C-alpha cells in the first residue's frame, strides 16, 4: 500500500481570516489587542461559561458537547422544540416521506418480478404524515433528554444581544430573562430563499416546510430549482401520483457539487420514474391569483416564453442565513453580502468570545457540517484547538437510487488544472445488487494522476448514502485508491462495488 507515500490532505477552511489575510495560519487581528471593556456583573456565580443561541443541530450538539466538558451551558431556542429545521421540517421528516413513498411506489410497480402478488393498494396520506410526525417527535424529545443528561439549561424563547456578554430572552411562556456569558455561540441556522413575485403560503406555494405537510397529492407540481431539496421532495410527490416538473436554471440537476456524469445518470433514472425536467430554463414570473398557479419561463439564454400550470409550486432555489432579530447592531457585528456572519478559523467573530457555527456562516448548509463545527468550536473554547476537514464533508441526495459524493468532481479539478485519473464500477456487475434487483448506478473514483491519492468519490446507487462514509474516511486519512482496492470487503455486499471502482482507478476491476 502507498499510505506512507501519500501526503495527508490539507484541511481547507471555508472560514475567512478577519484581517483579510489569505494565509492559512491564523494571526490575531490588531483589534484583539484592544482592551475590551467588561460589563459589571451582579455575581460571577450567575455567569454561564457558554450560552448558545439556536437549538438546531449545530446549537444542540454544541450544548451537549459543552455539558460533557463540564461547562455551565444554556441553549436558547424559540421554536419550542429542539432540533431546528433538520429535525422538525427538514432532513428527518423528508426522509420519512422518502422512505415510505418509496415503499408505496415499490409495492405498486416492483413486486411482480420478485414473485410477490399484491391486491389493491391504497395510499393513506394522513397515516403517512402521522408516521413522519411520530419519528420527529421521538427524536426531538430525545434531544431534550440528552440536555437533561448533560446538565444543559434549555430556555424556550427569542434571544437578542443587549450587550457583548449579555443576552435578553423573551420567553415563550411570557416574561423576560437576561443571561450573561463568558462565551457565546450563534447557531441560528438558515431559512428558505423566497422567489420574487410568489407569496409563500405553505399551502399552494410552498418551501420544503410546506412540501412535507401537504394534505393531498397535487395533480401537478412544479419545482423551481433542481438541487437536492427540490429533487427529493419532487420524488416523494411523483411516487404518490403527482405530475412533477422540475425547472432548473443550470444545465444539470443536483447542483454544481454533483459530478456531471452522475448527474446525467440521475436525471435519466428520475425521468424513467415519471419526473419531467426543464434545464437551462429560468422562471420569469409567477401568478398565484387564480385557482391554478402559473409560471412563465424561458430558456436561460433567452427564447420563447412558456407558461406552466400547477396546483402546487415548490420553491427550492436554496437557503439563506437567518440572523433576524438577534440585535447584532447592538454589539457591532455585521454580515457579508450573502447575510453570513464573518468568522475566523476558530469560528470567532470580531468579538472573540462570540463564535458562529452552521448555516449562518460560511460553508455548505449541511446538518453534519454544523455538527462538526459545533464540536470544534466548543473544543476551541475549552482546549484551545479543534478540527474540521472541509475537504471531507459528504453530500447525499436521498432519491431512489441515492446519490452521494465527497471531495472534488471532475469539473472542479479541470478548473484548477489538476491532473487526475478516474475509475468506476457499475452496480449491474455487483452480485448483491443483482440479487436485490437494484442494478442502476455506479461508484466512481477520482484520484491524483501521479500520487494516486483520492480526490473525490461519487456514487449513484442503492445505499449510496451509507457507502459514502467509507469514502469520507479514505479522504480524511489521505488514502490512495490502491489503499481501498487492497482492503478486503465482505462478499456479497454492495460495498464490493466501492472496492472494484478503486481497483479500476489504479489498475483493473476484477468483475467488469
Amino acid at each position: 500500500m502507498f499510505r506512507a507515500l501519500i501526503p495527508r490532505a490539507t484541511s481547507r477552511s471555508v472560514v475567512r481570516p478577519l484581517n483579510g489575510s489569505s494565509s492559512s495560519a491564523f494571526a490575531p487581528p490588531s483589534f484583539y489587542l484592544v482592551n475590551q471593556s467588561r460589563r459589571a456583573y451582579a455575581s460571577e456565580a450567575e455567569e454561564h461559561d457558554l450560552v448558545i443561541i439556536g437549538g438546531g443541530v449545530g446549537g444542540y450538539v454544541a450544548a451537549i458537547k459543552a455539558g460533557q466538558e463540564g461547562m455551565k451551558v444554556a441553549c436558547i431556542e424559540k421554536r419550542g422544540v429542539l432540533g431546528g429545521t433538520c429535525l422538525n421540517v427538514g432532513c428527518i421528516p423528508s426522509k420519512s416521506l422518502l422512505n415510505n413513498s418509496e415503499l408505496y411506489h415499490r409495492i405498486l410497480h416492483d413486486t411482480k418480478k420478485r414473485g410477490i402478488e399484491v391486491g389493491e393498494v391504497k395510499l393513506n396520506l394522513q397515516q403517512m404524515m402521522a408516521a413522519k410526525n411520530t419519528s420527529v417527535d421521538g427524536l426531538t424529545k430525545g434531544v431534550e433528554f440528552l440536555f437533561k443528561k448533560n446538565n444543559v439549561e434549555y430556555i424556550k424563547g427569542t434571544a437578542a444581544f443587549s450587550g457583548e456578554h449579555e443576552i435578553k430572552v423573551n420567553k415563550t411562556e411570557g416574561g423576560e430573562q437576561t443571561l450573561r456569558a463568558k462565551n457565546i455561540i450563534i447557531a441560528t441556522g438558515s431559512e428558505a430563499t423566497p422567489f420574487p413575485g410568489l407569496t409563500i403560503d405553505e399551502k399552494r406555494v410552498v418551501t420544503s416546510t410546506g412540501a412535507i405537510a401537504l394534505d393531498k397529492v397535487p395533480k401537478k407540481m412544479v419545482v423551481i430549482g433542481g438541487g437536492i431539496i427540490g429533487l427529493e421532495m419532487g420524488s416523494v410527490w411523483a411516487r404518490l401520483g403527482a405530475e412533477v416538473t422540475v425547472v432548473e436554471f443550470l444545465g444539470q440537476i443536483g447542483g454544481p457539487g454533483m459530478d456531471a456524469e452522475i448527474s446525467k445518470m440521475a436525471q435519466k433514472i428520475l425521468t424513467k420514474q415519471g419526473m419531467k425536467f426543464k434545464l437551462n430554463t429560468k422562471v420569469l414570473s409567477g401568478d398565484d391569483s387564480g385557482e391554478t398557479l402559473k409560471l412563465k419561463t424561458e430558456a436561460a439564454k433567452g427564447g420563447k416564453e412558456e407558461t406552466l400550470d400547477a396546483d402546487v409550486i415548490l420553491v427550492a432555489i436554496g437557503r439563506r442565513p437567518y440572523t433576524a432579530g438577534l440585535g447584532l447592531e447592538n454589539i457591532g457585528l455585521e454580515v457579508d453580502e450573502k447575510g453570513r456572519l464573518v468568522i475566523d478559523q476558530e469560528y470567532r467573530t470580531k468579538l472573540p468570545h462570540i463564535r458562529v457555527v452552521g448555516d449562518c456562516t460560511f460553508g455548505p448548509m449541511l446538518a453534519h457540517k454544523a455538527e462538526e463545527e459545533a464540536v470544534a468550536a466548543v473544543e476551541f473554547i475549552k482546549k484551545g484547538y479543534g478540527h474540521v476537514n472541509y475537504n471531507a464533508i459528504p453530500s447525499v441526495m436521498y432519491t431512489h437510487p441515492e446519490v452521494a459524493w465527497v471531495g472534488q468532481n471532475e469539473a472542479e479539478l479541470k478548473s484548477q488544472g489538476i491532473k487526475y485519473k478516474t475509475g468506476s464500477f457499475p452496480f449491474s456487475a455487483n452480485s448483491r445488487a443483482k440479487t436485490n434487483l437494484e442494478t442502476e448506478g455506479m461508484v466512481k473514483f477520482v484520484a491524483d494522476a501521479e500520487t494516486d491519492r483520492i480526490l473525490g468519490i461519487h456514487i449513484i446507487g442503492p445505499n449510496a448514502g451509507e457507502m459514502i462514509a467509507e469514502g469520507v474516511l479514505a479522504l480524511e486519512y489521505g488514502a490512495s485508491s490502491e489503499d481501498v482496492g487492497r482492503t478486503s470487503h465482505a462478499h456479497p455486499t454492495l460495498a464490493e462495488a466501492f472496492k472494484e471502482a478503486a481497483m479500476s482507478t489504479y489498475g483493473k476491476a476484477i468483475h467488469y
Side-chain angles (χ1 to χ4, degrees):
M1 297 199 201
F2 298 113
R3 182 166 295 149
L5 302 178
I6 308 302
R8 184 181 173 115
T10 303
S11 297
R12 179 179 62 188
S13 176
V14 296
V15 295
R16 305 289 187 260
L18 290 175
N19 61 354
S21 170
S22 60
S23 172
S24 60
F26 173 67
S30 59
F31 57 72
Y32 284 149
L33 302 179
V34 177
N35 183 27
Q36 297 180 3
S37 62
R38 181 177 175 85
R39 183 178 293 273
Y41 299 144
S43 169
E44 284 296 326
E46 296 177 9
E47 186 180 24
H48 287 78
D49 295 315
L50 174 64
V51 170
I52 298 159
I53 305 175
V57 174
Y60 85 67
V61 168
I64 291 170
K65 179 63 176 177
Q68 291 172 344
E69 294 289 345
M71 300 171 73
K72 183 179 180 182
V73 57
C75 182
I76 307 164
E77 170 56 49
K78 72 175 185 178
R79 189 186 294 268
V81 287
L82 295 166
T85 294
C86 179
L87 263 68
N88 290 280
V89 293
C91 322
I92 300 304
S94 65
K95 301 312 166 284
S96 174
L97 293 178
L98 281 158
N99 182 65
N100 292 333
S101 64
E102 169 57 26
L103 287 174
Y104 172 74
H105 189 264
R106 178 167 291 194
I107 292 169
L108 284 178
H109 304 287
D110 191 36
T111 58
K112 280 190 177 181
K113 65 182 180 181
R114 299 174 183 274
I116 304 169
E117 294 189 5
V118 180
E120 185 180 8
V121 180
K122 292 183 178 180
L123 171 66
N124 185 335
L125 185 60
Q126 185 177 7
Q127 182 56 41
M128 188 176 284
M129 292 295 174
K132 172 203 70 176
N133 294 337
T134 297
S135 301
V136 170
D137 187 54
L139 287 168
T140 54
K141 287 181 178 177
V143 177
E144 275 202 56
F145 167 76
L146 291 173
F147 269 26
K148 293 176 183 177
K149 179 182 177 181
N150 292 283
N151 300 312
V152 176
E153 182 183 356
Y154 172 28
I155 301 171
K156 297 180 181 181
T158 303
F161 285 97
S162 55
E164 291 181 2
H165 287 268
E166 191 172 87
I167 299 167
K168 184 172 287 185
V169 182
N170 286 319
K171 303 184 76 171
T172 303
E173 69 270 20
E176 290 185 349
Q177 180 179 353
T178 298
L179 300 178
R180 299 181 178 91
K182 296 176 185 175
N183 298 281
I184 299 168
I185 291 178
I186 301 173
T188 47
S190 61
E191 63 181 354
T193 303
F195 188 86
L198 287 174
T199 302
I200 293 172
D201 59 7
E202 301 297 9
K203 298 294 183 183
R204 297 201 306 159
V205 181
V206 302
T207 65
S208 55
T209 299
I212 62 167
L214 297 179
D215 57 8
K216 62 180 179 180
V217 179
K219 291 182 180 179
K220 290 185 178 181
M221 171 182 276
V222 174
V223 180
I224 306 176
I228 290 178
I229 293 174
L231 295 175
E232 287 183 350
M233 297 315 303
S235 288
V236 167
W237 294 107
R239 294 167 187 167
L240 298 182
E243 180 185 316
V244 176
T245 301
V246 178
V247 181
E248 170 56 48
F249 184 79
L250 300 176
Q252 71 168 58
I253 65 171
M258 189 180 291
D259 184 82
E261 185 179 7
I262 298 291
S263 175
K264 289 178 182 178
M265 189 174 292
Q267 184 181 342
K268 183 178 179 180
I269 293 171
L270 292 174
T271 299
K272 284 200 304 182
Q273 294 176 8
M275 295 177 69
K276 299 177 182 179
F277 295 92
K278 293 184 176 294
L279 305 186
N280 296 304
T281 302
K282 63 181 177 181
V283 177
L284 298 175
S285 63
D287 182 359
D288 54 12
S289 60
E291 287 188 16
T292 301
L293 302 171
K294 297 184 181 296
L295 279 184
K296 280 189 177 181
T297 67
E298 71 172 12
K301 295 182 179 179
K304 185 179 179 181
E305 291 186 8
E306 181 182 3
T307 299
L308 301 177
D309 295 334
D311 302 296
V312 171
I313 294 175
L314 168 58
V315 178
I317 57 174
R319 297 183 66 83
R320 62 187 184 186
Y322 181 77
T323 58
L326 280 179
L328 299 176
E329 66 280 1
N330 297 335
I331 55 173
L333 289 185
E334 299 176 351
V335 297
D336 70 2
E337 71 282 355
K338 294 185 178 180
R340 302 172 298 192
L341 282 157
V342 179
I343 56 175
D344 67 10
Q345 290 93 334
E346 296 184 15
Y347 310 102
R348 297 177 296 196
T349 64
K350 69 179 184 180
L351 301 175
H353 67 284
I354 300 177
R355 301 176 193 249
V356 186
V357 300
D359 288 4
C360 55
T361 189
F362 303 105
M365 290 185 176
L366 297 168
H368 45 282
K369 173 259 194 185
E371 288 188 66
E372 298 302 317
E373 291 180 336
V375 171
V378 171
E379 288 179 335
F380 274 121
I381 292 169
K382 186 70 177 179
K383 303 174 181 179
Y385 58 85
H387 166 77
V388 177
N389 181 359
Y390 290 95
N391 287 317
I393 302 291
S395 294
V396 182
M397 183 171 78
Y398 297 87
T399 50
H400 188 84
E402 294 177 349
V403 180
W405 68 91
V406 65
Q408 296 174 286
N409 59 42
E410 288 196 65
E412 291 169 336
L413 294 171
K414 286 177 182 177
S415 69
Q416 297 170 41
I418 297 174
K419 295 181 180 180
Y420 65 90
K421 56 185 177 180
T422 66
S424 62
F425 189 83
F427 281 105
S428 60
N430 174 265
S431 58
R432 185 66 185 276
K434 277 187 171 295
T435 60
N436 292 350
L437 301 181
E438 293 186 278
T439 57
E440 291 179 311
M442 68 174 182
V443 181
K444 176 179 179 179
F445 273 62
V446 184
D448 188 279
E450 296 181 4
T451 66
D452 191 40
R453 180 169 65 85
I454 299 169
L455 302 175
I457 298 172
H458 307 267
I459 309 171
I460 177 171
N463 282 19
E466 306 294 334
M467 200 180 301
I468 199 63
E470 182 178 358
V472 177
L473 192 63
L475 261 70
E476 180 65 34
Y477 283 90
S480 66
S481 66
E482 187 168 354
D483 284 332
V484 174
R486 292 187 180 276
T487 301
S488 178
H489 288 62
H491 175 79
T493 60
L494 296 169
E496 287 180 288
F498 194 92
K499 171 187 172 75
E500 296 249 27
M503 293 175 71
S504 74
T505 304
Y506 72 85
K508 290 185 177 181
I510 296 297
H511 293 96
Y512 186 68

